[in-house]
Amino acid sequence: MSGHNAVDIILKTGREKSVLQRHPWLFSGAIARVDGNPSPGETVRLLDFRKNFLAYGYYNQVSQIAVRVLEWDESNLVDDSWWESKIAASIGRREKLANDKNTDSYRLIFSESDFLPGLVVDKYSDYLSTQFLTAGADALKPVIISALNALLKPVGIYERSDAEIRSLEGLPSANGLLIGKNPPDKFEISENSIRYLIDIAGGHKTGHYLDQRENRLKIRHYSAGLDILDCFCYTGGFSINALTGGANSVTLVDSSKAALNMAQANIELNGLPGDKARFVESDVFDFLRESAKSGKLYDMVILDPPKFASSKAHLKKALSAYKDINMYALKVLKPGGILVSYSCSGIVSAEALKVALFWASIDADKPVQIIEKLCQPLDHPILLSFPESEYLKGYICKVL
Ligand code: SAH
């Protein structure tokens, strides 16, 4: 795979800087020459224009991110045992969660942030749900599966490689069982002592939004006695925590009927008072505009929208959508009310979301204080040399 027979990729003059600074992506425009004919995902050696060794990586000529860098130490050959040890190390870094009796589901491998580009592995109770998002990760599938199996002995390993970004790598979408038993259609996981039914094969992402685990718990401590509007509720995570924390009522809004049904089932599963929950199948923008007109007010509004922007081309439109939705949320809040507002768009920075909140407060004509800043949890680490890994941000705000 690597070593002396590996293909050499020689960079253009001055383009070695990002590799030296340990950024894991190398764009095709930085490459001067490819010495050989590597197959998609093949491990290569990266050399600077003077032919000094820089790093090992894997190559895909189809992708604009032509190389994902794997290893900067020339003596550490990238072979099967290299992958096995990186996988073991990533799992080992989740020790705190592994010892948490109240949570059995969390992310074990967060791709580039865990030095395993293109690979996502989520643990859902006794099953694993995986994504192989690059040709390099895809080519190593047998090695990765056998390493996961040996280390964790899951009942089954499922593949959810149906994310759009696979097409940028020239890979087809894939959804199916890799090894062991198929997970039941709906099966139970636990997260901070709350039980959820999840659907690995058909749910969003790998089955559940694991990245909001700690933020959902935080809401539990804010909720006692409040009337809460949970926008983009999906399977009810925030509302279930709010009811657990003693909320007076929760209104769950989502455009997906299936998600709302699952949310209702999850509220029942946790033995929470169903009569305190109202389910609304609607576009959130429409719902908020109507609510603002009707004069109905809440003590807390949670906004956890899907990604509004996937590339720089969509940034301006996305920021205006964040501004609008937060403005309407502020309009339906009582004085002293709480706005909890997230963005999971990687290209929308925490600062940009704050600016959108500022304009929302001006347009809603309400003074607003930020009382907490939120981000992604410890199993979705942000790698300093890879700022793209910081994607989830949120603010808890108080309307004065
Ligand atoms: N808060 C959830 C995750 C939200 S994911 C949790 O903690 O698990 C985003 C949700 O928004 C999805 O359920 C999707 O169905 C819904 N959605 C996307 N666009 C929408 C829109 N315009 N109006 C209402 N719901 C929408």
Side-chain angles (χ1 to χ4, degrees):
M1 285 180 65
S2 59
H4 300 300
N5 299 326
V7 168
D8 285 343
I9 306 256
I10 296 117
L11 301 198
K12 291 178 183 163
T13 312
R15 297 301 290 270
E16 66 280 3
K17 194 170 152 206
S18 74
V19 183
L20 292 171
Q21 292 181 346
R22 300 200 169 228
H23 195 287
W25 289 353
L26 188 81
F27 289 90
S28 53
I31 295 175
R33 208 172 73 237
V34 177
D35 271 357
N37 191 16
S39 53
E42 188 172 324
T43 304
V44 295
R45 282 156 41 100
L46 279 182
L47 309 180
D48 71 9
F49 66 102
R50 292 198 180 89
K51 295 217 172 179
N52 296 312
F53 176 88
L54 290 169
Y56 298 109
Y58 61 65
Y59 180 72
N60 183 1
Q61 87 181 81
V62 174
S63 174
Q64 279 189 30
I65 304 171
V67 179
R68 312 255 172 170
V69 185
L70 301 167
E71 173 62 59
W72 285 262
D73 181 343
E74 189 169 11
S75 61
N76 287 345
L77 291 188
V78 177
D79 52 15
D80 290 358
S81 69
W82 181 94
W83 282 85
E84 287 157 5
S85 75
K86 289 284 181 219
I87 289 170
S90 184
I91 293 170
R93 285 191 289 273
R94 272 64 178 178
E95 200 186 357
K96 184 163 178 264
L97 284 161
N99 292 329
D100 181 347
K101 301 269 177 299
N102 301 322
T103 296
D104 67 7
S105 300
Y106 48 90
R107 179 153 294 187
L108 292 169
I109 297 175
F110 183 34
S111 54
E112 275 81 345
S113 284
D114 280 308
F115 312 104
L116 289 159
L119 178 63
V120 169
V121 178
D122 288 341
K123 171 186 175 334
Y124 290 116
S125 183
D126 297 333
Y127 291 85
L128 299 179
S129 184
T130 57
Q131 292 182 316
F132 299 84
L133 300 172
T134 57
D138 206 64
L140 265 297
K141 209 185 264 181
V143 175
I144 294 166
I145 295 170
S146 94
L148 291 171
N149 225 5
L151 288 163
L152 301 159
K153 302 183 181 56
V155 176
I157 304 181
Y158 200 86
E159 176 175 17
R160 284 297 306 271
S161 299
D162 44 22
E164 264 173 47
I165 47 171
R166 286 255 303 186
S167 65
L168 302 178
E169 292 271 322
L171 297 167
S173 166
N175 178 328
L177 184 67
L178 293 173
I179 194 167
K181 288 193 188 147
N182 251 314
D185 280 354
K186 290 190 177 45
F187 83 103
E188 204 180 304
I189 61 162
S190 64
E191 177 190 288
N192 291 322
S193 305
I194 280 176
R195 300 157 72 190
Y196 291 94
L197 291 173
I198 69 154
D199 175 3
I200 287 188
H204 292 186
K205 302 230 268 187
T206 62
H208 184 63
Y209 288 91
L210 290 169
D211 54 2
Q212 288 285 31
R213 182 183 59 251
E214 304 309 322
N215 294 331
R216 286 190 281 255
L217 175 61
K218 192 165 268 300
I219 293 308
R220 214 185 288 181
H221 306 302
Y222 270 93
S223 307
L226 304 188
D227 291 317
I228 296 177
L229 176 60
D230 178 4
C231 298
F232 309 99
C233 66
Y234 191 47
T235 55
F238 282 104
S239 288
I240 294 166
N241 277 277
L243 287 172
T244 305
N248 184 53
S249 75
V250 286
T251 302
L252 299 91
V253 186
D254 203 284
S255 53
S256 157
K257 183 77 187 146
L260 289 165
N261 287 341
M262 200 86 138
Q264 187 162 17
N266 283 331
I267 289 175
E268 281 164 22
L269 179 69
N270 286 281
L272 294 162
D275 57 333
K276 291 190 171 179
R278 182 165 75 102
F279 301 90
V280 184
E281 183 186 347
S282 169
D283 178 272
V284 165
F285 287 85
D286 293 344
F287 178 86
L288 283 175
R289 265 192 294 266
E290 289 303 312
S291 303
K293 267 191 229 153
S294 76
K296 163 104 182 111
L297 296 176
Y298 297 87
D299 301 303
M300 177 189 274
V301 178
I302 299 163
L303 295 178
D304 184 22
K307 217 187 325 190
F308 283 162
S310 49
S311 73
K312 281 212 175 99
H314 301 127
L315 184 58
K316 212 171 150 208
K317 222 174 135 203
L319 289 174
S320 133
Y322 283 115
K323 195 276 279 175
D324 280 351
I325 202 166
N326 282 285
M327 175 192 70
Y328 282 114
L330 289 172
K331 284 189 177 179
V332 301
L333 274 166
K334 289 178 197 163
I338 303 282
L339 170 64
V340 186
S341 183
Y342 299 98
S343 164
C344 62
S345 307
I347 62 160
V348 173
S349 66
E351 197 55 34
L353 178 62
K354 193 171 79 180
V355 173
L357 283 166
F358 164 70
W359 288 114
S361 79
I362 295 294
D363 287 359
D365 196 20
K366 293 192 182 188
V368 173
Q369 293 176 330
I370 292 173
I371 54 175
E372 284 201 61
K373 278 174 137 180
L374 308 169
C375 71
Q376 58 212 61
L378 72 168
D379 52 336
H380 295 64
I382 300 163
L383 186 64
L384 275 180
S385 59
F386 184 49
E388 291 84 349
S389 55
E390 180 174 11
Y391 70 100
L392 180 63
K393 64 279 303 181
Y395 293 99
I396 303 186
C397 304
K398 199 172 178 69
V399 178
L400 301 179

